[in-house]
Amino acid sequence: YITSKETMLAAVRLLDSVEKAKSTFMKKSTAPSVRSYNEKIITPEIVEFASEMPNFTDENIPDWKGVIWPEAVENGTLQADTVTALIKMWSQWGFNSVRYYIPYTMLFSLDGSKVNEAELNRLDRIVAAAMKNKIHIELVFSGLPGMNQDLSENQFIMGGQFDLFYNPEKQKQARLVWETLAERYAALPNSVLSFNLLQEILPGTDVNLLYDDDIAKVYMDLIDGIRKYDPDRFIVFEDPPYENNT
């Protein structure tokens, strides 16, 4: 028999141990080991097999039949086993693409300066599963530094950071996030992977301060960061889900 206090202390110790374990995998986003995918996971054989997938350009986009799958931030980690099993099922059902939403904080620190290598390896597993089943992944970040959304399900109040589009420091951090993934997956063709810069731009309380030019300037900088390492990556962007002031 243990008391409720002992139970609570045990739960706190467990949570602390999980956070400490996660911290051991955090590396600088500029570290060479995180700037290339794990070839023990995305093997040369998988890459060769996926080379049969139809490549595409701006002028030649395949007929995608896709699904949407969002990672749940409360899980704290990418659900690689679940997603890889789903990818196999989706392929059997005739789908050939998935729009895969990831909160960037599941991979990166809040400021983007560090990245969890264990989570990147989980992402590699998901990409490898897609390649083996000839499913294209559109990787979407639901949030970036300066646009870290936190929706209260009970009160429907949007919280978090909303200064990405007018805070130069947050823009540098967001660029580093995309540069890290761009270099990591630069060797994979567009047939396998595309990037979606940011899920719907939710304006928070500053809707009246955000203009098309603000958004375009930041997006062009993010694209330049990706192109620095991955000149031909197919990039998607989403319009703001509201009427702006231009």
Side-chain angles (χ1 to χ4, degrees):
Y1 174 80
I2 61 174
T3 66
S4 58
K5 180 179 179 180
E6 290 170 332
T7 302
M8 293 176 65
L9 289 174
V12 169
R13 287 194 296 271
L14 175 61
L15 290 173
D16 286 344
S17 67
V18 170
E19 288 304 312
K20 289 178 181 178
K22 288 176 64 176
S23 67
T24 62
F25 295 106
M26 298 298 288
K27 294 189 175 181
K28 289 184 177 180
S29 298
T30 53
S33 64
V34 304
R35 289 296 185 112
S36 59
Y37 62 74
N38 189 332
E39 292 190 0
K40 293 181 180 179
I41 299 173
I42 303 177
T43 64
E45 292 77 16
I46 293 175
V47 173
E48 176 64 26
F49 178 77
S51 66
E52 300 176 5
M53 296 172 64
N55 207 354
F56 63 93
T57 64
D58 291 345
E59 295 77 28
N60 182 30
I61 301 177
D63 182 16
W64 282 336
K65 300 178 179 66
V67 297
I68 295 174
W69 185 260
E71 281 286 2
V73 67
E74 59 266 21
N75 290 332
T77 186
L78 300 184
Q79 303 299 293
D81 290 338
T82 298
V83 178
T84 53
L86 286 170
I87 284 171
K88 183 177 181 180
M89 181 179 69
W90 293 330
S91 177
Q92 293 170 345
W93 288 355
F95 293 110
N96 61 5
S97 70
V98 56
R99 176 175 282 192
Y100 184 43
Y101 289 90
I102 301 177
Y104 86 97
T105 49
M106 296 184 80
L107 301 179
F108 292 86
S109 59
L110 195 63
D111 66 358
S113 64
K114 293 184 178 180
V115 62
N116 190 317
E117 192 167 27
E119 292 301 319
L120 287 177
N121 284 334
R122 290 187 179 93
L123 182 57
D124 284 353
R125 286 179 54 199
I126 292 166
V127 172
M131 294 169 73
K132 287 189 286 187
N133 289 277
K134 296 186 177 179
I135 283 186
H136 173 87
I137 290 184
E138 179 188 334
L139 182 61
V140 189
F141 272 140
S142 52
L144 283 171
M147 190 58 70
N148 185 29
Q149 303 155 9
D150 179 22
L151 177 62
S152 167
E153 294 183 0
N154 295 326
Q155 300 180 3
F156 296 97
I157 297 174
M158 184 64 67
Q161 304 173 359
F162 299 100
D163 57 345
L164 170 63
F165 294 99
Y166 44 89
N167 185 328
E169 186 61 31
K170 297 294 175 61
Q171 292 164 16
K172 291 178 183 178
Q173 295 170 4
R175 175 169 172 146
L176 178 59
V177 166
W178 272 119
E179 285 182 347
T180 302
L181 290 187
E183 186 172 9
R184 184 176 181 89
Y185 294 115
L188 299 183
N190 282 327
S191 57
V192 169
L193 184 67
S194 61
F195 293 154
N196 187 320
L197 298 176
L198 179 64
Q199 185 187 3
E200 298 174 349
I201 303 168
L202 298 176
T205 58
D206 293 322
V207 58
N208 294 321
L209 302 179
L210 195 56
Y211 291 79
D212 284 346
D213 288 346
D214 300 318
I215 298 170
K217 178 178 178 292
V218 173
Y219 271 3
M220 290 306 300
D221 186 57
L222 294 178
I223 291 170
D224 286 344
I226 292 171
R227 294 279 183 250
K228 178 179 177 181
Y229 298 99
D230 193 354
D232 299 318
R233 181 63 57 198
F234 191 81
I235 299 172
V236 179
F237 71 92
E238 300 184 16
D239 287 332
Y242 61 91
E243 291 296 328
N244 56 38
N245 294 317
T246 59

